[in-house]
Amino acid sequence: VFAWPARMLARAWAKLVEARITVTRCANLYGPGDLHWSRLVPNSCRRIARGLPPEVHPGAWKYQREWLHVDDAVRAYILLAEKGVAGEAYNIGSGETATAGGVAIRLAELGAGSTPIESDWQIDEIPAQELCCDKIATLGWGAERELWEGMESTLHWYLDYAEKQAGRYVWT
């Protein structure tokens, strides 16, 4: 769903049911518990846990993205539930960007030390994505998790998860 129609749909629904709605747009989320294996961070961590190198989609190596740890996103959602202006849209980001290739390389260095490889699954996305988060900053919010520290703790979560799930269907 594109941002504009989603925002309009949320506002219309809020008016219909007389609910307080705040629209959010987050940077690329990462962190523990994401089992959506088609995403860069979960799949890279899973592959490292299996002794394999991370994969990056062809053409995506240089895609610049803003990254946000899920803990920071949760803090933002709580703040917006308490202080956000109904009907307003807020961008939630860390201000820290990295390429998909850079993330895969860093995760590989933190894990097995292998060199990331190119996957055979082509994707077509915008080359760069960053958010202006001035509006939520006026409410006193800012990201707390530093990107690479957050990536390292995320990798450790997946390595622990892999150990606990060894041989189970959920890890495939």
Side-chain angles (χ1 to χ4, degrees):
V1 177
F2 294 105
W4 181 83
R7 187 169 56 248
M8 294 297 105
L9 182 61
R11 287 179 177 158
W13 182 81
K15 189 172 187 171
L16 178 69
V17 299
E18 298 179 5
R20 185 177 176 273
I21 296 290
T22 303
V23 176
T24 61
R25 296 181 294 251
C26 288
N28 285 15
L29 293 172
Y30 72 94
D34 184 355
L35 304 181
H36 196 297
W37 305 123
S38 67
R39 297 180 205 214
L40 176 65
V41 174
N43 188 47
S44 294
C45 293
R46 177 178 68 162
R47 289 180 60 84
I48 290 167
R50 292 175 168 173
L52 300 170
E55 284 183 322
V56 179
H57 300 308
W61 288 87
K62 294 182 181 178
Y63 285 178
Q64 189 77 22
R65 295 289 182 265
E66 184 168 348
W67 299 89
L68 180 67
H69 193 278
V70 68
D71 290 348
D72 286 324
V74 169
R75 285 188 322 93
Y77 278 115
I78 291 169
L79 176 69
L80 291 174
E82 296 170 350
K83 296 182 180 179
V85 176
E88 287 293 310
Y90 294 86
N91 292 335
I92 307 170
S94 65
E96 293 188 271
T97 62
T99 63
V103 168
I105 289 167
R106 183 69 179 130
L107 288 171
E109 290 170 352
L110 292 168
S114 59
T115 302
I117 61 172
E118 195 163 276
S119 73
D120 57 2
W121 185 32
Q122 181 67 41
I123 61 168
D124 190 27
E125 293 187 17
I126 59 172
Q129 177 196 55
E130 292 181 59
L131 300 171
C132 175
C133 301
D134 293 345
K135 191 185 292 186
I136 195 167
T138 64
L139 300 177
W141 183 88
E144 293 178 357
R145 277 312 232 347
E146 186 274 327
L147 176 61
W148 301 120
E149 179 274 324
M151 288 287 180
E152 183 172 11
S153 67
T154 296
L155 174 60
H156 289 298
W157 183 90
Y158 282 100
L159 294 174
D160 290 344
Y161 180 80
E163 190 174 310
K164 292 174 187 168
Q165 299 298 321
R168 296 184 186 206
Y169 176 75
V170 69
W171 185 244
T172 59

